[in-house]
Amino acid sequence: MRELDPERGASAASTATGGQGPAEESPVQVRHDPYRALRYRNFRLLFIGIFLSSIGEQMVTVAIGWELYDRTRSALALGLVGLVQVLPVLCFSLLAGHLADRQNRRRMVMLAQTILALCSLGLMLLSWLRGPLWLIYGCLLIIGIATAFNEPASAALLPQTLPPALYANAATWESSAWQLASVVGPALGGFLLALFRGATPIYGLNALAIALFLLLLALLRLPPAAPASLQQQEAAQAEGTLRSLAEGLRFLRRTQVILAAITLDLFAVLFGGATTLLPIYARDILQVGPTGLGWLQAAPSIGAVCIAFLLAHLPPFKRAGRTLLLAVAGFGLATIVFGLSRSFWLSLLMLFILGGLDNISVVIRGTLLMTRTPDHMRGRVAAVNTIFIAASNKLGGFESGLAAQLLGPVMAVVGGGLGTILVVLCVALIWPEMRRLGPLAPESQAQPAEPLAAQLAGQGSAESTVPRQL
């Protein structure tokens, strides 16, 4: 059934009421539409592209780990993969955020994705020729650099594809795309490794997925920047790079709710890294072997996907701060139960719940970053968030491994869960703004913003020849 395009509908409403259109959209907003964000062409294209590129990224992770271990039989060789990719993220993300607030974000993402595709083709050639390992790590290092510049620009680009009222719905669908890719990608990568008896074709398929993403990015029809944003960009040209970076950090310090959400995620992941120890649990504690390990590793992502679809169909959060604190506390509690469990099915259930609760945190944090950050600072704030995520993931794995070595795996996991709950209590006490946080979108964003509607109205003639249908 053909439906009215929401982007065109916003334009028509704005034109009919002389610029007061958003107030007239209330009948459309009464009924909650879980697929509202996907009805916007720009977001739909970006969503599909993120999903394809994430599947390719997950397949390459499986392929590179298999190939390096097959060639070296060294655990250190596998550890270096994460190291050479995370160091550039820690070193260059702030600069990337600065550039994302100064340059065209779509072009920046396309350039980074092009470099990722070329590196994937380089890995394919090295795999086929069985090239030297230092060149493989060189490609991985460049991949890390490209990722450092891609993440802030991509995060800042997403809010440009739809009105502010739909940021929470968009964050939910973006998270579900990544989580679903985390389930499909490794499974598909393992299947292709067995089918082709090697990793070489997987790198080529990843390059193809990136090429499709680039095509989708080229098809985006983004509205021009609002006049206020242009003035802010002109004023920013006079700032030096260091002053610009410092301004991004000062903004986070002033915006306590965002700082609290990022800090909460950082320490929750740092202490609650139970997934790092899954091989030990599968072999020595639950004794379920490789097949059981595969299910244990997939359970958090499956739980996250299920919760993402549930969140999309539920009304927006009324008390987002309390929900976030309870979700992270529940994450810690599920981690404790998993650590103490000797039942495979109970452990599987706890990992499922753990992944779902973590996704609630991801959605709320992602929505806060979009709704509470001015457009001219989104790149820098996203860069800080990227650094926090990279640091917590890698350091969390290291912390879990070290604690397991010193205290044993059970005490390491249980202690991590207790530490997560303690972090929740500290955040709730240090940042009372988080406890009081209500709906994620401010009242002024309850309907699609008028400037965006006006911008889309200006695009009507350019887009009228392209019929759009969901």
Side-chain angles (χ1 to χ4, degrees):
M1 178 178 178
R2 184 175 177 80
E3 299 183 5
L4 178 67
D5 189 304
E7 298 179 46
R8 191 176 296 170
S11 303
S14 179
T15 303
T17 59
Q20 303 299 319
E24 299 297 323
E25 284 200 351
S26 55
V28 180
Q29 296 291 330
V30 170
R31 182 176 62 86
H32 176 66
D33 183 0
Y35 304 100
R36 186 70 189 276
L38 293 174
R39 300 186 194 281
Y40 282 76
R41 175 185 179 275
N42 284 334
F43 178 76
R44 197 159 62 238
L45 293 175
L46 191 60
F47 171 83
I48 295 172
I50 290 173
F51 179 62
L52 290 175
S53 64
S54 297
I55 287 180
E57 178 186 352
Q58 294 292 330
M59 289 195 304
V60 167
T61 299
V62 173
I64 197 68
W66 176 273
E67 183 162 15
L68 285 176
Y69 190 72
D70 182 60
R71 292 180 59 177
T72 64
R73 303 292 176 179
S74 169
L76 179 61
L78 298 179
L80 287 175
V81 173
L83 181 64
V84 298
Q85 291 186 81
V86 75
L87 284 179
V89 173
L90 299 178
C91 293
F92 295 111
S93 286
L94 288 178
L95 175 61
H98 165 77
L99 293 176
D101 288 335
R102 300 292 180 270
Q103 307 297 325
N104 185 297
R105 291 163 180 168
R106 174 168 57 175
R107 292 176 186 170
M108 191 169 168
V109 173
M110 293 181 73
L111 178 59
Q113 291 293 329
T114 301
I115 294 173
L116 290 173
L118 292 175
C119 288
S120 192
L121 292 175
L123 288 173
M124 182 178 69
L125 181 62
L126 290 170
S127 176
W128 181 46
L129 299 176
R130 295 190 65 84
L133 293 180
W134 69 269
L135 283 178
I136 294 178
Y137 285 112
C139 285
L140 294 176
L141 179 65
I142 298 175
I143 287 175
I145 296 173
T147 300
F149 284 87
N150 176 79
E151 294 302 321
S154 179
L157 176 66
L158 188 144
Q160 295 180 229
T161 62
L162 72 179
L166 303 182
Y167 284 169
N169 189 246
T172 301
W173 285 112
E174 183 200 20
S175 173
S176 67
W178 189 88
Q179 295 290 353
L180 187 59
S182 297
V183 177
V184 175
L188 185 58
F191 172 76
L192 293 175
L193 277 172
L195 178 65
F196 295 113
R197 298 183 180 179
T200 303
I202 295 178
Y203 304 122
L205 290 174
N206 179 53
L208 177 61
I210 294 175
L212 293 174
F213 186 23
L214 289 170
L215 176 62
L216 294 172
L217 286 170
L219 292 175
L220 292 178
R221 299 191 188 98
L222 300 177
S229 297
L230 290 175
Q231 294 172 4
Q232 289 164 343
Q233 290 179 7
E234 290 173 1
Q237 295 297 326
E239 288 185 341
T241 301
L242 292 178
R243 183 178 176 184
S244 171
L245 297 178
E247 179 59 29
L249 296 175
R250 283 195 295 270
F251 171 80
L252 276 178
R253 188 178 62 186
R254 293 193 303 268
T255 314
Q256 297 291 300
V257 171
I258 295 181
L259 181 60
I262 294 178
T263 303
L264 189 62
D265 180 77
L266 168 67
F267 287 101
V269 175
L270 186 65
F271 292 132
T275 53
T276 304
L277 306 178
L278 286 182
I280 299 176
Y281 268 79
R283 190 186 69 175
D284 299 332
I285 298 175
L286 300 176
Q287 299 180 352
V288 292
T291 303
L293 174 60
W295 281 106
L296 291 172
Q297 290 179 326
S301 292
I302 295 174
V305 171
C306 292
I307 288 297
F309 278 93
L310 179 63
L311 292 178
H313 286 79
L314 290 175
F317 294 111
K318 298 298 183 183
R319 297 182 178 180
R322 189 179 70 172
T323 302
L324 176 60
L325 293 169
L326 290 176
V328 179
F331 177 93
L333 182 60
T335 300
I336 294 172
V337 176
F338 170 79
L340 296 174
S341 172
R342 294 298 182 271
S343 165
F344 172 68
W345 295 108
L346 178 59
S347 299
L348 203 64
L349 176 62
M350 288 302 104
L351 290 173
F352 178 89
I353 294 174
L354 182 150
L357 293 174
D358 181 57
N359 200 45
I360 294 175
S361 171
V362 170
V363 169
I364 293 177
R365 187 180 72 252
T367 306
L368 280 173
L369 288 172
M370 288 191 281
T371 57
R372 303 301 175 97
T373 306
D375 183 72
H376 69 284
M377 298 193 69
R378 283 196 172 116
R380 282 166 286 179
V381 174
V384 175
N385 185 51
T386 299
I387 291 175
F388 273 50
I389 292 174
S392 62
N393 286 336
K394 301 303 178 182
L395 293 178
F398 174 76
E399 180 273 334
S400 296
L402 179 61
Q405 184 68 31
L406 297 176
L407 305 174
V410 174
M411 286 299 298
V413 173
V414 172
L418 291 172
T420 300
I421 295 175
L422 181 61
V423 168
V424 172
L425 295 175
C426 291
V427 168
L429 292 174
I430 296 173
W431 288 288
E433 297 90 346
M434 179 57 71
R435 301 197 308 270
R436 297 192 295 264
L437 178 64
L440 290 171
E443 291 296 326
S444 62
Q445 293 180 356
Q447 300 291 340
E450 193 278 329
L452 180 59
Q455 295 162 15
L456 291 170
Q459 292 182 1
S461 60
E463 297 185 15
S464 59
T465 58
V466 183
R468 276 172 282 183
Q469 182 175 346
L470 186 64

